[in-house]
Amino acid sequence: MNKALIIIDMQNDFLPGGSLAVPGGDEIIPVINQLSKEFNLVVATQDWHPQNHGSFASNHDNKKVFEMGELNGLPQMMWPDHCVQGTFGAEFHKDIQMNHVETIFRKGMNPKIDSYSGFFDNGHQKSTGLAGFLLEKKVEEIHFCGLAADYCVYFSIKDALELGFKTVLIDNATRPIDAENYRNQKHELEKMQNFSLVSF
């Protein structure tokens, strides 16, 4: 069975010192680097927001960071500015070994809609092309790692399952923003067909 490793958003802004740092995000870097050597196909996703992105609290007069709002008719968490195109925060962390990564799929470029999943925007209006790429490579099973567990990793997994891939979450190669939320999501995912939770 053809397998792929997808590394989700290991960018400076999601790591300690970044504008949207995930607690303990740097702890998974050695695990991901080791994992990358185990797969023939490794793909990365990259949050790549324009400065005027509608998910940034700073682009709204009356919104605070981490407040729920609405964007284009969809519920939207208001985030601090992060992973702005061309900035240091959007770059992959220097300790992530990118030499095994075959290609990078960027997301979150449309200022009118957020994109947590590596496959689609949050409204499923536009594909990133990741699914087509994996199908062309005859991938049947996808292993996920990266940040943040309860947002971009979780929604990527949901889409992968919906698309019919066997899907594996590597629990010790991800970290959440909200640990309780992540626990609930894992319980939900474990009830789904074609999903498994492992540690490397």
Side-chain angles (χ1 to χ4, degrees), residues 174-192:
T174 188
R175 291 287 185 276
I177 292 171
D178 180 334
E180 186 179 349
N181 190 31
Y182 179 49
R183 273 194 297 276
N184 293 335
Q185 289 171 341
K186 283 194 287 187
H187 290 317
E188 175 207 333
L189 289 171
E190 284 178 307
K191 295 172 187 165
M192 299 179 82

Side-chain angles (χ1 to χ4, degrees), residues 7 27 52-55 82 99-100 106 109 121 133 143 159 163 171-172 178 185 192-193:
I7 303 170
E27 296 166 3
N52 67 336
H53 201 274
S55 71
H82 65 279
N99 51 316
H100 297 288
R106 286 176 166 168
M109 296 167 73
D121 63 58
F133 173 84
H143 294 238
D159 280 343
L163 289 162
D171 197 30
N172 63 329
D178 180 334
Q185 289 171 341
M192 299 179 82
Q193 199 171 0

